[in-house]
Amino acid sequence: MEFIEAVRAGLAEVGDPARAPEMQRYMKSDMPFRGVPKPERTALVRTLFAEHVFTDRADWIAAVTELWRDATYREERYVALDLLAHKRYTPWNGLDLLPLYEEMIVTGAWWDFVDELAARRVGPLVLAHPDVLTPTMRAWATDPDRWKRRTSVLCQLKARDATDTDLLTDTIESTLDDPDFFLRKAIGWALREYAKTDPGWVRHFVETHPELSPLSRREALKHL
């Protein structure tokens, strides 16, 4: 695909091999980096997305999937996420993409990928299709995969007044006893974000859940 070739060539051109090892160490990534800082990647994708406009949804999905599955460098997966999130293609975010998002969450298996997918891809689907996806998020909240569990907790980060507090409660309570740092951090983050909308609810939740970890509690009450 011409677009894929352009992405790889562009990343190779703007990448800095001297920076790549440090970026890989920082992200604790098995996959190597090209050494492309975010500002340079943002400028590159702006140009690429203007030059390669998808008019067919199937082609757009195919491009995202190929970039993700065949990635040699981590930045290729970042571009896949950028392409998913581009405002031009927002209307194409549909329920049928949930299996792809699930694959990306499980195979990405790190916070930089998972948080983007949880808040900007899965979250809007949960808001748009609560009858279908609320049970799915409850199932993910007890899944053996910690990244699916983190996604279930974080999927309402941007929901604000539309937050389903029963779902938020259930996803948090399902993972309260897990000592995993990333799950405990996610719980605190989700509560902290919702506190911007309903601080009283969050205070009450924290007060009535003494089993919250110190990390989750500290994050939840950070701005209260």
Side-chain angles (χ1 to χ4, degrees):
M1 185 183 291
E2 183 181 346
F3 171 73
I4 303 293
E5 294 175 359
V7 169
R8 291 171 178 159
L11 290 172
E13 183 178 351
V14 300
D16 181 353
R19 302 183 65 167
E22 179 55 34
M23 294 173 72
Q24 184 176 357
R25 280 193 296 272
Y26 171 77
M27 199 53 68
K28 300 178 181 178
S29 173
D30 292 331
M31 185 178 291
F33 276 77
R34 273 290 191 187
V36 182
K38 187 174 181 179
E40 282 80 352
R41 191 184 86 241
T42 299
L44 175 63
V45 299
R46 186 183 299 118
T47 299
L48 289 172
F49 293 174
E51 293 176 348
H52 301 268
V53 177
F54 290 90
T55 57
D56 183 88
R57 185 173 182 264
D59 291 341
W60 170 71
I61 295 172
V64 170
T65 304
E66 184 176 346
L67 272 175
W68 186 269
R69 291 178 180 170
D70 297 343
T72 302
Y73 296 94
R74 201 172 186 90
E75 288 95 339
E76 293 170 42
R77 288 188 162 181
Y78 291 152
V79 175
L81 294 177
D82 292 336
L83 183 58
L84 275 175
H86 194 280
K87 61 182 179 180
R88 180 182 295 122
Y89 309 115
T90 297
W92 288 351
N93 186 33
L95 272 175
D96 61 316
L97 291 181
L98 188 66
L100 175 60
Y101 298 159
E102 182 177 2
E103 174 190 334
M104 295 168 80
I105 288 164
V106 172
T107 59
W110 202 241
W111 63 266
D112 55 337
F113 295 142
V114 171
D115 294 359
E116 171 77 8
L117 288 160
R120 301 186 67 184
R121 298 293 90 204
V122 176
L125 288 181
V126 174
L127 283 177
H129 307 280
D131 292 345
V132 177
L133 292 187
T134 296
T136 302
M137 290 302 101
R138 285 194 168 97
W140 283 20
T142 59
D143 194 275
D145 185 273
R146 67 173 172 174
W147 299 107
K148 289 172 68 175
R149 292 167 69 188
R150 182 174 168 101
T151 298
S152 74
V153 173
L154 296 179
C155 69
Q156 298 191 87
L157 269 185
K158 299 181 181 298
R160 298 179 183 175
D161 289 336
T163 297
D164 179 343
T165 53
D166 288 339
L167 176 61
L168 181 60
T169 298
D170 289 346
T171 56
I172 290 174
E173 289 182 344
S174 294
T175 199
L176 270 180
D177 60 349
D178 196 304
D180 183 81
F181 168 84
F182 291 101
L183 292 172
R184 291 185 168 187
K185 186 77 170 180
I187 290 170
W189 185 13
L191 291 171
R192 185 179 78 234
E193 282 300 302
Y194 189 54
K196 297 175 183 177
T197 298
D198 192 341
W201 187 94
V202 171
R203 285 194 187 97
H204 181 263
F205 185 92
V206 171
E207 290 169 359
T208 56
H209 289 79
E211 66 272 38
L212 278 169
S213 71
L215 172 60
S216 298
R217 184 180 302 273
R218 184 170 61 252
E219 287 293 317
L221 301 176
K222 194 170 187 177
H223 300 303
L224 294 181

